């Protein structure tokens, strides 16, 4: 379990208020491209910025929206994007980062599929004097190996989801038998959402128990398969926390196949807030969603330019997120950006 305090080992406070970060300062000074700010999209000296980006994969609606946001924002910023889809495999991400180093890109960014196993390749990037910016997910490597993170607080998302579950279950009579569909094992969102959810649940109604919890890999098929197994072993499940909407939507298929009413017989809270999640919520099949904003592209491109221009950036650049219950879904749908 990665606690928030371990996200940036050795950093006094996670949200350094634009303090000059030693790692950044080192990157800015040591990177050959960290010169005076050039034209938009240039790394100084008029040379266009090339960003090597390794994406986790295309496992969910969230990921699709995240990829589109990054591609659109790179285009708007005049930044050349070398994009690689790792199909949720760490070895593919490591190979992609090595390719970016060989291509001598100006900056590397990636959303690490899992938190561990990055020290070697991040050291290679540092030795090549190419700054690395994390997006979306954290790593447990030493903070000197990357400049900053642009992404959400997953532990807070787990806590928010638990408070939504309390709201959804308020007034429920009888025992609550809860299941949890976890995201990809070893990933920051799965580890931290579970931790945040547990922290709130442990302090809530002691009769509420998570009786079964399993990895559904953030995919619809994963949610469907795992939920079908859950219902076989625990037919009395009446509450589900899914770490993302796609697994919740897959689970809904198995709940219906088992002759039960999702959102009624089994209360469902999930995370993300993608379009299909809102549609399911407007139909009463998902009861509440803790939003996780995938539209990180503009913040990432601003951070890329700032880092290459040797400017100070926060160690953790967070995205803004809200919570939604089913009664809000229909009104919110038309203005949803993803
Ligand atoms: C969260 C992101 C997660 C989403 C899933 O920031 O890493 O991965 O919650 C996605 O939908 O697959």
């Amino acid at each position: 379990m990665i606690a928030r305090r371990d996200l940036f080992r050795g950093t006094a406070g996670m949200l350094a208020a634009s303090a000059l970060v030693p790692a950044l300062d080192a990157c800015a000074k040591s990177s050959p491209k960290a010169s005076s700010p050039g034209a938009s999209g240039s790394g100084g000296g008029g040379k266009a910025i090339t960003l090597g980006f390794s994406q986790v994969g295309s496992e969910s609606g969230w990921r699709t929206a995240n990829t589109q946001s990054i591609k659109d924002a790179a285009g708007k910023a005049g930044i050349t994007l070398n994009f690689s889809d790792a199909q949720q495999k760490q070895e593919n991400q490591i190979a992609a980062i090595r390719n970016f180093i060989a291509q001598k890109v100006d900056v590397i960014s990636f959303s690490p599929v899992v938190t561990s196993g990055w020290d070697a390749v991040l050291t290679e990037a540092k030795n090549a004097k190419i700054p690395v910016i994390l997006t979306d997910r954290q790593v447990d490597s030493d903070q000197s190996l990357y400049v900053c993170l642009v992404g959400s607080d997953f532990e807070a998302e787990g806590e928010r989801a638990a408070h939504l579950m309390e709201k959804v279950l308020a007034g429920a009579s009888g025992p609550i038998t809860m299941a949890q569909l976890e995201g990809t094992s070893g990933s920051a969102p799965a580890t931290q959402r579970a931790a945040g959810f547990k922290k709130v649940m442990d302090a809530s109604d002691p009769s509420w128990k998570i009786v079964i919890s399993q990895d559904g890999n953030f995919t619809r098929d994963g949610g469907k398969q795992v939920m079908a197994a859950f219902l076989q072993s625990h037919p009395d499940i009446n509450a589900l926390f899914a770490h993302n909407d796609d697994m919740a939507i897959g689970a809904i298929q198995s709940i219906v196949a088992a002759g039960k009413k999702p959102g009624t017989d089994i209360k469902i809270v999930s995370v993300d807030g993608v379009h299909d999640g809102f549609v399911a919520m407007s139909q009463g099949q998902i009861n509440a969603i803790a939003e996780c904003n995938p539209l990180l592209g503009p913040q990432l491109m601003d951070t890329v330019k700032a880092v290459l221009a040797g400017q100070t950036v926060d160690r953790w650049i967070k995205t803004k997120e809200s919570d939604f219950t089913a009664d809000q879904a229909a009104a919110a749908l038309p203005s949803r950006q993803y």
Side-chain angles (χ1 to χ4, degrees), residues 55-64 66 88 111-113 135-138 151-154 157 183-184 187-190 193 217-219 243-247 271-274 290 292-294 296 319 321:
Q55 180 60 292
V56 168
S58 50
E59 74 282 0
S60 64
W62 190 98
R63 191 62 57 196
T64 303
N66 179 246
Q88 289 187 290
S111 170
V113 60
T135 56
D136 175 23
R137 298 182 182 181
Q138 297 93 347
S152 303
D153 183 338
F154 301 131
E157 288 172 351
T184 307
S187 69
R193 284 172 186 165
N217 206 23
F218 284 129
T219 64
H243 288 186
N244 81 332
D245 295 344
D246 285 75
M247 292 192 293
V271 184
D272 278 352
V274 296
C292 176
N293 188 343
L296 304 177
T319 49
E321 306 175 336

Side-chain angles (χ1 to χ4, degrees), residues 163-244:
H163 288 308
L164 286 170
M165 186 62 88
E166 287 175 322
K167 201 182 277 188
V168 165
L169 293 175
S173 57
I176 296 298
T177 306
M178 202 176 295
Q180 178 173 229
L181 276 171
E182 300 170 16
T184 307
S185 180
S187 69
T191 304
Q192 291 154 30
R193 284 172 186 165
F197 192 86
K198 183 177 186 304
K199 190 162 87 174
V200 171
M201 277 294 140
D202 285 351
S204 193
D205 186 324
S207 69
W208 293 358
K209 291 268 176 283
I210 292 181
V211 297
I212 190 164
S213 185
Q214 194 179 321
D215 175 358
N217 206 23
F218 284 129
T219 64
R220 292 192 184 196
D221 190 53
K224 180 179 177 183
Q225 302 301 333
V226 174
M227 190 67 201
F230 283 175
L231 290 167
Q232 288 288 324
S233 61
H234 293 78
D236 57 339
I237 288 168
N238 55 9
L240 171 69
F241 170 43
H243 288 186
N244 81 332

Side-chain angles (χ1 to χ4, degrees), residues 27 30-32 97-98 100-102 105-110 118-133 144-146:
C27 277
S30 57
S31 156
I97 292 169
R98 286 194 168 123
F100 297 148
I101 294 169
V105 299
D106 297 294
V107 55
I108 291 169
S109 182
F110 73 118
W118 304 100
D119 290 0
V121 74
L122 291 178
T123 302
E124 291 164 32
K126 184 173 182 179
N127 293 342
K129 296 185 172 33
I130 300 176
V132 175
I133 297 168
S144 67
L145 294 177
Y146 55 89

